[in-house]
């Protein structure tokens, strides 16, 4: 059964698995609508999005789908601070851009408020104080409820917090990409900031379903991700297969259940699960009901160390400055 948590500023309980809508931005409307319906059936009430996912398309599909549900039943988290130019995507947290951006999101989402509004990536050309003040003005106007930051390092989080305390923090976090454990995650836990893990399934690797001969040429994220390039990709697949086998043997649970529970085993965390078709999230409420023990986590770490000789993080995702 789905588990829930609380986020300061939001009246309803929030599911500990959130539907990540980035892939919905790049697939058919019908598949997107059905995926949202299925997520809600499984007890997920948090949907994470951004105006840059499919250039507004993900927000539009969410907005159209939500018409049939009560607005208070759904927790929408969206973002600002990334601007699509003709050639690329750049960081922009200027007050002018943020104002234009939030108006666009509210229109596409067909709502007058966003539950969690996040700075997608910090903008080094903008003062953190001014960015935080712009967020506060949105909150005072009732356009947003909880304040979120994303992809900030520790110093940037502290800097932002001097003006405005964030309620959530979103960063990449999965069993292959765990850098946040050294500083960001403890900071969130000490400061009652709910941590939203993105890439929870490492783009599908941690489902155990990816094939060695897959072609990523047309995939908007995987084609740029060095994990999915040979020969490194083979090492990751081998580690996945090793972890999947021993987890099934010890707990009758595959790697997907382990990957999500590994995130949720930390206090104050939510796992964002990217999906664009209903089948993707079919097991969303059955990953609960067990906890991987210390021995399981130790064996998992050993397998990763032994097999992945050439590990690489999610740094390729970093957008450029203006
Ligand atoms: N703040 C940020 O900068 C940031 C960055 C990235 C993502 N996010 C958010 O976090 C969410 C989650 O991250 P993510 O979408 O990058 O990664 P993810 O959840 O690790 O992986 C999503 C991908 O995994 C595959 N997948 C999911 N369930 C599956 C299943 N049951 N069986 C087989 N394959 C499955 C699909 O791949 P295919 O597409 O190949 O079918 C899907 O697109 C995003 O959707 C977005 O909302 C935020």
């Amino acid at each position: 059964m789905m588990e829930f948590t609380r986020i300061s500023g939001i009246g309803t309980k929030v599911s500990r698995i959130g539907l990540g809508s980035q892939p919905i931005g790049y697939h058919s409307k019908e598949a997107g609508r059905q995926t949202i319906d299925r997520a809600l059936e499984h007890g997920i009430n948090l949907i994470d999005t951004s105006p840059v996912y499919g250039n507004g398309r993900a927000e539009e599909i969410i907005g159209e789908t939500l018409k049939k549900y009560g607005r208070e039943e759904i927790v929408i988290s969206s973002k600002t601070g990334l601007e699509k130019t003709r050639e690329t995507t750049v960081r922009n947290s200027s007050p002018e851009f943020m104002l234009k951006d939030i108006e666009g999101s509210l229109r596409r989402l067909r709502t007058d408020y966003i539950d969690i509004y996040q700075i997608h990536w910090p903008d080094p050309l903008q003062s953190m104080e001014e960015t935080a003040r712009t967020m506060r003005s949105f909150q005072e106007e009732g356009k947003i409820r909880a304040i979120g930051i994303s992809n900030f390092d520790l110093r940037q989080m502290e800097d932002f917090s001097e003006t405005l305390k964030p309620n959530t923090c979103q960063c990449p976090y999965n069993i292959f990409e765990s850098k946040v454990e050294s500083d960001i995650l403890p900071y969130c836990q000490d400061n009652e900031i709910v941590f939203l893990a993105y890439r929870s399934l490492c783009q599908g690797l941690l489902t155990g379903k990816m094939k060695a001969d897959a072609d990523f040429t047309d995939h908007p994220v995987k084609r740029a991700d060095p994990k999915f390039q040979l020969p490194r990709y083979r090492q990751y697949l081998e580690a996945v297969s090793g972890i999947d086998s021993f987890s099934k043997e010890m707990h009758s649970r595959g790697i997907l259940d382990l990957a999500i529970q590994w995130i949720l085993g930390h206090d104050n965390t939510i796992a964002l699960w990217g999906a664009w078709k209903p089948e993707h999230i079919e097991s969303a409420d059955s990953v609960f009901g067990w906890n991987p023990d210390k021995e399981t986590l130790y064996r998992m770490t050993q397998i990763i160390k032994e097999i992945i000789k050439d590990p690489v993080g999610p740094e390729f995702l970093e957008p450029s400055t203006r």
Side-chain angles (χ1 to χ4, degrees), residues 20 22 48 53 150-151 170 198 201 203 219 222 274 276 280:
Q22 183 175 28
D48 181 74
Y53 299 161
S150 173
N151 300 303
Q170 187 173 143
Y198 76 76
L201 298 174
Q203 268 293 311
H219 198 285
K222 291 190 182 80
W276 58 267
H280 277 156

Side-chain angles (χ1 to χ4, degrees), residues 24-84:
I24 287 179
Y26 302 94
H27 289 89
S28 82
K29 275 192 174 181
E30 197 40 43
R33 286 191 201 113
Q34 290 174 6
T35 306
I36 296 168
D37 285 338
R38 191 65 57 84
L40 296 174
E41 279 164 31
H42 283 298
I44 294 175
N45 69 350
L46 169 65
I47 306 179
D48 181 74
T49 191
S50 157
V52 298
Y53 299 161
N55 234 340
R57 188 179 164 82
E59 286 188 331
E60 267 167 24
I61 296 172
I62 295 166
E64 282 169 25
T65 314
L66 295 189
K67 276 187 303 179
K68 62 182 176 184
Y69 298 97
R71 176 66 186 87
E72 292 294 329
E73 285 173 45
I74 320 287
V75 177
I76 297 175
S77 72
S78 193
K79 312 186 186 82
T80 183
L82 280 188
E83 181 178 21
K84 284 260 185 199

Side-chain angles (χ1 to χ4, degrees), residues 120-262:
H120 207 146
W121 282 86
D123 177 358
L125 301 181
Q126 202 60 43
S127 101
M128 202 58 95
E129 189 190 338
E130 190 170 31
T131 304
R133 274 198 270 112
T134 310
M135 291 288 268
R136 184 190 287 142
S137 71
F138 292 161
Q139 196 178 40
E140 285 168 354
E141 290 160 17
K143 290 178 177 155
I144 65 175
R145 297 203 166 156
I147 304 287
I149 51 180
S150 173
N151 300 303
F152 280 40
D153 65 24
L154 191 60
R155 191 189 52 75
Q156 290 160 335
M157 281 180 84
E158 288 169 342
D159 208 1
F160 185 93
S161 304
E162 276 180 25
T163 309
L164 186 62
K165 183 187 173 321
N167 307 114
T168 67
C169 164
Q170 187 173 143
C171 285
Y173 187 46
N174 62 62
I175 60 183
F176 292 140
E177 297 168 341
S178 56
K179 194 166 155 263
V180 291
E181 283 183 348
S182 61
D183 52 4
I184 302 288
L185 202 52
Y187 181 88
C188 289
Q189 283 162 346
D190 290 347
N191 291 281
E192 293 177 352
I193 298 169
V194 175
F195 181 85
L196 274 63
Y198 76 76
R199 288 171 66 86
S200 301
L201 298 174
C202 201
Q203 268 293 311
L205 252 179
L206 296 170
T207 63
K209 291 185 186 156
M210 291 185 62
K211 303 272 182 271
D213 61 355
D215 177 5
F216 304 120
T217 325
D218 295 328
H219 198 285
V221 182
K222 291 190 182 80
R223 68 172 170 239
D225 189 334
K227 277 193 185 59
F228 297 100
Q229 287 159 17
L230 292 169
R232 192 187 277 115
Y233 178 48
R234 231 177 267 124
Q235 296 173 17
Y236 277 94
L237 285 182
E238 201 188 319
V240 164
S241 161
I243 297 168
D244 190 49
S245 301
F246 97 77
S247 181
K248 280 180 178 153
E249 222 172 83
M250 278 179 80
H251 305 286
S252 307
R253 296 279 193 161
I255 190 164
L256 190 153
D257 291 17
L258 177 57
I260 299 287
Q261 276 308 330
W262 179 80

